Amino acid sequence: MRLRLKKISDQVIVITGATSGIGLATARMAAARGASLVLVARNEDALQQLTEELRSLGSDARYVTADVSLVDDVKQVAAKAAEQFGGFDTWINNAGVGIFGKVTEVGSEDMHRLMDIDFWGTVHGSRIALSHLKTHGGALINVGSAFADRAAALHGIYSAAKHAVKGYTDSLRVEAAEANMPVSITLITPSAIDTMFSVHAKNYLDRMPKLPPPMYVPETVASAILHACEHPKREIYVGSTARLLATAAYQTPRLVDKAMELLMFSLQKTDRPASEQPPHNLNGPQRDLDERSGRTMYAQKSSWYTEAVTHPAAGLALLAGAAVAAAVLWPRPQR
């Protein structure tokens, strides 16, 4: 069965975690392309402001205040979409939280809370979305992480949650295909992205945390997500780093262990004391409506790898251009 998805401008899109980082960038980009939106987050004030912003640009945006770890809250999201739009075409499970700290030091209550949001929030959203999409057709998009392919030091429980998201999504995709559901199920696998993740995370370190380089801007992920809204894709890696990490983790796991041992602890600490870390958002929303953290001096604005995967013709053109440039600039031997 060949699945055809609607153009973004004809879609109703549900976005969880819509008031910060990747979710915020995706909401703004989707609105600019004419989508109708159901925005989901815990921060009602931020949701109201964002909805007004997008409506002022011509988007038909609505919002639902919800905690994705609570299945009844997620059911209300689907009910709102049905009430306002008659349903939805794409559901994006993006909401997530983070913790920086050694797995032996992170409290069990905090680990449970992260798993409730990052994993069970994705499960709740997927199940409720599929109950509609299996009849009406459309796309389910789950945002994972490069740390799903290779667990990272100081991100043990987050890595475990994203491993679980990947396993759940892969299993769900096969079961949906066997049942001939007219649904595209995509896992988005980003590299390190300059979002509010490190600002909002709970911190067990002795200094304020940051993500390791190289980093990409959140628009790179938003672009990949919207590509998956229109084109059935199994998985999209955002940034070559994510793809390389997955390959290295499979081919040379001990070498990756050693590299993390030598680099990951220092690369994930700023020079500022932990006492200056803002309040975390594990148990409730904090400052929202920011896409980027401000903790990195440089984030890549595009990924040739992801462009090549999502737009093969453009990727081949870029590769050909680079080859021509290299041939022109390559020094020729003197006669």
Side-chain angles (χ1 to χ4, degrees), residues 107-236:
S108 59
E109 185 175 339
D110 289 342
M111 289 193 286
H112 278 287
R113 180 60 180 157
L114 184 145
M115 192 66 74
D116 284 344
I117 296 172
D118 291 18
F119 173 63
W120 285 109
T122 298
V123 172
H124 298 330
S126 297
R127 291 171 64 116
I128 290 166
L130 276 185
S131 67
H132 172 80
L133 293 173
K134 69 182 181 182
T135 301
H136 297 83
L140 171 65
I141 300 171
N142 292 338
V143 178
S145 169
F147 294 163
D149 290 301
R150 166 63 219 207
L154 304 181
H155 293 281
I157 191 61
Y158 178 80
S159 297
K162 292 301 184 178
H163 271 73
V165 166
K166 180 178 177 66
Y168 177 80
T169 304
D170 288 347
S171 178
L172 187 65
R173 187 186 301 108
V174 174
E175 293 174 8
E178 189 274 337
N180 290 317
M181 293 184 189
V183 183
S184 170
I185 299 179
T186 303
L187 181 67
I188 303 293
T189 302
S191 305
I193 308 297
D194 183 22
T195 67
M196 295 295 286
F197 179 88
S198 61
V199 178
H200 286 159
K202 183 157 187 181
N203 183 31
Y204 280 79
L205 307 179
D206 59 351
R207 282 180 279 166
M208 287 174 56
K210 63 178 181 177
L211 288 173
M215 299 184 72
Y216 297 81
V217 298
E219 289 86 352
T220 58
V221 189
S223 180
I225 288 172
L226 294 187
H227 183 80
C229 289
E230 294 182 316
H231 305 88
K233 293 286 185 181
R234 184 182 190 280
E235 185 169 4
I236 301 176

Side-chain angles (χ1 to χ4, degrees), residues 47-126:
L47 283 169
Q48 288 179 335
Q49 293 180 55
L50 178 59
T51 301
E52 291 171 5
E53 173 195 325
L54 300 184
R55 284 179 175 174
S56 72
L57 300 175
S59 172
D60 190 357
R62 316 295 173 90
Y63 76 85
V64 182
T65 307
D67 182 335
V68 298
S69 71
L70 303 173
V71 67
D72 287 341
D73 278 19
V74 183
K75 288 179 179 178
Q76 288 301 312
V77 175
K80 180 79 169 184
E83 174 190 337
Q84 297 295 322
F85 298 109
F88 50 88
D89 302 291
T90 296
W91 183 295
I92 302 167
N93 286 311
N94 165 74
V97 294
I99 297 174
F100 283 81
K102 295 180 179 180
V103 289
T104 54
E105 297 175 357
V106 175
S108 59
E109 185 175 339
D110 289 342
M111 289 193 286
H112 278 287
R113 180 60 180 157
L114 184 145
M115 192 66 74
D116 284 344
I117 296 172
D118 291 18
F119 173 63
W120 285 109
T122 298
V123 172
H124 298 330
S126 297

